[in-house]
Amino acid sequence: MYEVLIIKGGKPLNGTIEVNGAKNAALPIMAASLLADSPITIRRVPNISDVRIMARLLRTIGAKVTFRNGNMKIDPRDVKNVRASYKLVSKIHASFDITGPLLARFKQVEVPLPGGCNLGSRPVNFHIEGFRSLGADVDFQHGYVIAKTARLKGTNIFFPKPSVGATKNVMMAATMASGTTIIENAAREPEVADLANFLIRMGAKIRGAGTSKITIEGVKGLSGGFEYSIISDRIEAGTYLLAGAASKGDITLKAIKPEFLDSFISKLKDAGQKIDMGEDWISIKGRPVKAIDISTSPFPGFPTDLHPPVAALLCIADGTSVIEETIFDGRFIYLDELRRLGAEVNTKNHSVVIRGVKKLSGAPVVAPDIRAGGALIIAGLSAEGCTVISGLDKIDRGYQDIDKRLAILGSDIRREKRDACRD
Ligand code: UD1
């Protein structure tokens, strides 16, 4: 059996929903809990499969993890096993986030090279070089990264380009190093700042997270015994705003800071959409879509994760749009699926050229990765007729209850079980 989403397009979305906690904050914060000497409760954890896989990974190394109604309790006191399971790490890229905390706490760690969304090459050389600069010996054996150290020592690290993953991992490793670590050309994403705030609650001494220079003064130990509520998911919010625009709807998102989405919002306005916002809400009224050009870049630039979803909207723009992808060279596989829906999309070097059509037409499609799945849903909502999306395991990795939430907003969408033998 497998599941599909069936969308009858053409119904404008209407209403209000609250944005869930951020996947890309929840996963490293779960990993960071391994640094504590007592249990921690994390609130607003999204119930998505990446989070459930990370919880299983933490359990396999000895942590006690309970997860109910968005509240996750992690007790890391019995963690002893510093070798992570290939089966779990190969499923999600963020599982590699446990490397920094385990290295800091146990002075050794064995983690397989990570898997995750197929977005092209996703090396971890900046993480490795960062650990080495901190004084770890790092080796590769049989697909595993093996890192050991007598003691991590503060140092200056300059990343060749801003990497979210490497900034988080090295920042976590440096929290208990002796002396001061300075990370330059650090990633400035809000999720990096959220992780730093969580570490600060544990007793870490970190300044500058959210800027390109982060200073970490090593401390002897980190403590739990507190509750922490994670920030909202700006990529989920962006996906719903695009769904609102593509369906010519009128929706409001609560619990989201507009400054997380500045560059995205300004592009939506350029595309002719009516946006209103307050301190912690954003609303959109769908208008005829104008063609625009976009280049993805690290925060505060246009997020690479919103490239496929925005492409789905631009498929029905008046004119030709160009999206340049500067972060992940393999992010274009979703285009074949959009073509099935009648989109006129082509690649040119590192860009996708989208010639707007009047209407997309529903068809069976497969989600190749999380955000491409978001794109196919947006396209399906605007298309004429029925779109049947399979590959929901990908979509469920990053979007909690997306079918139920879109149904609340009035779309004609349902999840159905299918029998693979009868297809
Ligand atoms: C990236 C996104 C992040 C998004 C996440 C999930 C950026 C800057 N980061 O984070 O916003 O939420 O994907 O889809 O947009 N790189 C190396 N060596 C390394 C690490 C990274 O060369 O060791 C390169 C990557 O190939 C990429 C760039 O640096 O071109 C940024 O990668 P990174 O930010 O680490 O990716 P993620 O953490 O996965």
Side-chain angles (χ1 to χ4, degrees):
M1 294 295 261
Y2 67 100
E3 288 185 324
V4 294
L5 282 183
I6 303 174
I7 302 174
K8 270 198 201 129
K11 268 188 100 180
L13 299 190
N14 227 290
T16 302
I17 53 167
E18 195 167 300
V19 178
N20 285 309
K23 160 182 167 293
N24 292 337
L27 295 170
I29 283 176
M30 289 169 70
S33 306
L34 297 173
L35 286 160
D37 61 4
S38 51
I40 293 174
T41 301
I42 313 166
R43 301 211 180 282
R44 300 190 77 235
V45 179
N47 190 359
I48 50 179
S49 62
D50 272 21
V51 159
R52 293 191 296 270
I53 289 169
M54 187 66 142
R56 271 166 60 200
L57 178 62
L58 298 189
R59 285 188 196 110
T60 60
I61 57 169
K64 291 196 181 73
V65 184
T66 58
F67 185 29
R68 240 167 261 120
N69 302 325
N71 298 319
M72 181 172 286
K73 190 170 172 190
I74 301 180
D75 181 349
R77 284 174 297 186
D78 291 338
V79 173
K80 286 193 182 71
N81 180 7
V82 292
R83 187 173 164 91
S85 133
Y86 169 74
K87 229 170 109 185
L88 294 173
V89 174
S90 59
K91 284 190 173 34
I92 58 170
H93 193 76
S95 55
F96 200 66
D97 291 352
I98 65 171
T99 315
L102 289 179
L103 184 61
R105 186 169 153 199
F106 296 102
K107 312 281 179 277
Q108 57 168 328
V109 57
E110 299 184 11
V111 184
L113 284 164
C117 268
N118 182 11
L119 307 175
S121 166
R122 295 182 82 177
V124 288
N125 54 321
F126 301 164
H127 307 231
I128 304 296
E129 285 313 314
F131 297 143
R132 283 190 175 135
S133 305
L134 285 167
D137 288 324
V138 187
D139 240 344
F140 297 92
Q141 278 170 26
H142 310 296
Y144 270 72
V145 174
I146 316 243
K148 287 195 189 87
T149 183
R151 170 124 218 228
L152 295 177
K153 260 183 83 185
T155 184
N156 284 13
I157 293 169
F158 182 91
F159 287 129
K161 52 180 163 174
S163 155
V164 177
T167 303
K168 289 173 179 171
N169 227 338
V170 171
M171 181 166 76
M172 290 189 277
T175 50
M176 291 207 270
S178 65
T180 302
T181 300
I182 298 176
I183 305 176
E184 288 188 85
N185 205 19
R188 291 183 281 164
E189 268 69 357
E191 295 79 18
V192 173
D194 202 36
L195 171 63
N197 288 335
F198 178 78
L199 292 166
I200 290 166
R201 283 292 301 277
M202 294 170 92
K205 291 195 173 160
I206 302 174
R207 289 193 313 274
T211 75
S212 55
K213 183 174 172 184
I214 304 178
T215 306
I216 306 131
E217 263 178 66
V219 294
K220 287 234 150 52
L222 295 168
S223 326
F226 63 91
E227 291 181 1
Y228 189 85
S229 188
I230 62 172
I231 56 168
S232 293
D233 197 312
R234 62 197 164 98
I235 307 300
E236 185 196 46
T239 304
Y240 280 98
L241 290 172
L242 290 162
S247 68
K248 305 274 177 292
D250 180 353
I251 64 165
T252 299
L253 303 182
K254 289 195 304 188
I256 180 72
K257 289 195 173 132
E259 66 257 33
F260 286 179
L261 284 160
D262 270 350
S263 59
F264 171 75
I265 289 170
S266 103
K267 285 293 176 187
L268 276 187
K269 287 181 178 167
D270 292 348
Q273 305 308 299
K274 168 118 177 51
I275 308 260
D276 286 303
M277 53 202 164
E279 205 182 318
D280 61 353
W281 60 270
I282 309 174
S283 71
I284 189 162
K285 286 194 179 66
R287 298 271 190 259
V289 185
K290 294 183 193 158
I292 50 168
D293 292 341
I294 292 171
S295 179
T296 63
S297 60
F299 191 84
F302 192 97
T304 177
D305 280 357
L306 286 173
H307 151 183
V310 81
L313 175 70
L314 296 176
C315 286
I316 50 164
D318 181 14
T320 299
S321 306
V322 178
I323 304 177
E324 185 194 17
E325 175 55 55
T326 69
I327 312 288
F328 293 120
D329 49 10
R331 185 130 236 180
F332 296 111
I333 33 173
Y334 72 100
L335 294 175
D336 283 337
E337 301 304 309
L338 279 184
R339 281 190 197 104
R340 287 177 186 279
L341 300 172
E344 292 195 14
V345 285
N346 282 298
T347 50
K348 196 175 170 194
N349 302 324
H350 295 289
S351 300
V352 47
V353 180
I354 306 168
R355 213 154 64 89
V357 295
K358 285 239 145 39
K359 263 212 172 303
L360 297 173
S361 67
V365 286
V366 186
D369 62 67
I370 305 176
R371 306 307 170 189
L376 294 173
I377 291 175
I378 292 164
L381 289 171
S382 80
E384 214 162 48
C386 211
T387 298
V388 180
I389 306 177
S390 49
L392 299 198
D393 53 319
K394 304 287 192 326
I395 295 174
D396 293 338
R397 285 187 49 195
Y399 293 105
Q400 178 178 335
D401 297 329
I402 193 159
D403 44 327
K404 289 186 192 139
R405 284 156 73 69
L406 286 170
I408 288 169
L409 293 172
S411 69
D412 189 338
I413 183 169
R414 65 177 200 281
R415 189 180 280 254
E416 213 178 80
K417 281 201 173 23
R418 290 268 166 100
D419 186 341
C421 298
R422 289 183 168 205
D423 283 351

